């Protein structure tokens, strides 16, 4: 018996298409509502900035995501692991929001005895993981300190030193707290010398260091790379007699040091070490790390 095929049999397909079009229209309307797209983008940006994975439309990292040594490989390259020396070295790490919550117990068991934690950047950013990282390292027995990523194009050195001290960068005479560090290196957000002349950069660094000492009673450590120091300060040698040097070089030896320093206090030798990536060697046994903490 022939089957009667009327328009009734095609109605489900037509109805489904109508429902799909209605759904798409509703979705488009939702995305155009005030604040909808903005809220989604803001949430994504907050997550990325906190973990150090953020990026902007021009390919530059989001402000606040800078960390020690992020320009080393690009500008200076990378070689083999450090050579064995007769000088005792004490293993340490540096961390920022890039690492998130750190497994300090595993680091301690592996032989890491000291740590530096990013506290601030410029005059606008505080590490959201600072508490877990700074207190966590201390609680497992490490000697720890805080560092500031300097952005000389944003404000005076004194302004950023005060911001640093006010937000975790202070020092206490407990034998377990290292003096603060000024991380001064390539600008990840723009011109590598932050638009400063060489003399202007030296003046900015001096302003930071002078203010930090006035606030804490300690001379801050300077973290830098020799090639950046030469380009952006003219290889100024006036800080070496007072401020300890933390050199960044991912190779078999520390290589040439900036003018004014005959020896480094610390050496960041890799960004791909166990557990957290950034590993360092203190130039001496643990008692020398303790001596720096005591002042």
């Amino acid at each position: 018996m022939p089957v009667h095929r009327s328009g009734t049999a095609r109605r489900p397909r037509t109805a489904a298409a109508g429902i799909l079009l209605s759904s798409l229209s509703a979705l488009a309307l939702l995305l155009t509502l005030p604040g909808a797209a903005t809220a989604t983008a803001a949430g994504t940006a907050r997550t990325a900035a906190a973990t150090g994975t953020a990026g902007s439309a021009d390919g530059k990292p989001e402000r606040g995501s800078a960390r020690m040594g992020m320009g080393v490989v690009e500008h200076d390259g990378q070689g083999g692991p450090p050579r064995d020396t007769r000088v005792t070295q004490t293993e340490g790490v540096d961390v920022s929001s890039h690492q998130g919550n750190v497994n300090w117990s595993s680091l301690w068991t592996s032989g890491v005895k000291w740590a530096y934690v990013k506290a601030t950047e410029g005059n606008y950013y505080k590490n959201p993981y600072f508490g877990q990282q700074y207190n966590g390292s201390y609680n497992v027995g490490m000697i720890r300190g805080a560092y500031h990523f300097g952005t000389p194009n944003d404000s005076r050195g004194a302004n950023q030193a005060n911001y640093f001290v006010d937000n975790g960068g202070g020092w206490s005479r407990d034998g377990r707290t290292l003096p603060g560090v000024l991380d001064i290196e390539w600008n990840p957000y723009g011109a590598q010398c932050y638009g400063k002349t060489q003399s202007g950069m030296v003046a900015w660094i001096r302003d930071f260091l002078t203010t930090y000492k006035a606030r804490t009673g300690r001379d801050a450590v300077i973290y830098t790379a020799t090639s950046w120091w030469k380009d952006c300060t003219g290889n100024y040698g006036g800080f070496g007699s007072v401020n300890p040097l933390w050199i960044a070089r991912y190779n078999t030896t520390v290589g040439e040091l900036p003018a004014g320093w005959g020896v480094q206090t610390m050496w960041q030798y890799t960004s791909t070490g166990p557990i957290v990536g950034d590993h360092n060697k203190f130039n001496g046994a643990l008692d020398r790390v303790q001596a720096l903490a005591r002042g």
Side-chain angles (χ1 to χ4, degrees):
M1 182 176 182
V3 177
H4 179 70
R5 300 184 182 275
S6 68
T8 305
R10 290 191 298 270
R11 282 176 188 170
R13 289 197 297 272
T14 305
I19 292 170
L20 176 61
L21 288 173
S22 297
S23 299
L24 290 174
S25 298
L27 177 60
L29 177 61
L30 174 64
L31 291 176
T32 59
L33 290 174
T38 303
T40 302
T44 302
R46 283 194 298 271
T47 301
T51 58
T53 59
S56 58
D58 61 1
K60 299 292 184 182
E62 291 291 340
R63 300 262 284 176
S65 65
R67 59 190 186 274
M68 279 186 169
M70 66 186 301
V72 171
V73 174
E74 177 185 351
H75 293 89
D76 288 347
Q78 186 170 10
R83 297 173 186 162
D84 290 336
T85 68
R86 289 179 293 177
V87 177
T88 301
Q89 308 278 300
T90 306
E91 192 76 4
V93 295
D94 60 272
V95 298
S96 66
S97 64
H98 178 66
Q99 283 89 0
N101 290 324
V102 174
N103 187 340
W104 292 110
S105 295
S106 293
L107 283 167
W108 176 261
T109 302
S110 74
V112 173
K113 300 303 179 187
W114 59 274
Y116 266 102
V117 177
K118 180 181 178 181
T120 51
E121 175 179 318
N123 58 356
Y124 52 83
Y125 174 85
K126 295 181 284 186
N127 175 9
Y129 291 94
F130 183 76
Q132 191 276 344
Q133 295 175 346
Y134 192 72
N135 297 325
S137 54
Y138 183 91
N139 289 339
V140 298
M142 291 184 193
I143 302 171
R144 50 81 160 112
Y147 81 84
H148 172 82
F149 193 97
T151 56
N153 57 320
D154 285 309
S155 61
R156 291 180 54 221
N159 172 268
Q160 294 192 27
N162 283 317
Y163 185 76
F164 178 42
V165 174
D166 291 342
N167 292 286
W171 176 76
S172 59
R173 196 181 296 274
D174 60 1
R176 298 273 304 281
T177 303
L178 293 159
V181 174
L182 170 61
D183 177 1
I184 189 74
E185 56 176 299
W186 298 281
N187 179 10
Y189 312 120
Q192 71 170 2
C193 297
Y194 301 86
K196 297 283 186 185
T197 64
Q198 291 175 340
S199 60
M201 183 64 75
V202 170
W204 189 94
I205 294 171
R206 183 181 294 112
D207 196 29
F208 182 100
L209 298 175
T210 300
T211 304
Y212 185 82
K213 184 167 186 179
R215 288 288 307 273
T216 67
R218 293 300 306 272
D219 290 301
V221 176
I222 294 176
Y223 169 99
T224 195
T226 300
S227 60
W228 183 90
W229 193 262
K230 284 182 170 182
D231 289 344
C232 297
T233 74
N235 208 21
Y236 179 75
F239 300 126
S241 62
V242 174
N243 300 96
L245 173 67
W246 188 349
I247 194 69
R249 188 170 190 258
Y250 302 165
N251 217 316
T252 56
T253 66
V254 296
E256 179 188 6
L257 299 180
W261 285 280
V263 66
Q264 82 284 355
T265 298
M266 290 168 280
W267 170 25
Q268 187 191 52
Y269 66 88
T270 186
S271 61
T272 57
I275 302 176
V276 296
D278 295 345
H279 276 248
N280 306 267
K281 293 188 179 297
F282 192 99
N283 194 20
L286 182 59
D287 65 331
R288 303 316 305 155
V289 184
Q290 293 167 335
L292 181 61
R294 288 192 300 267

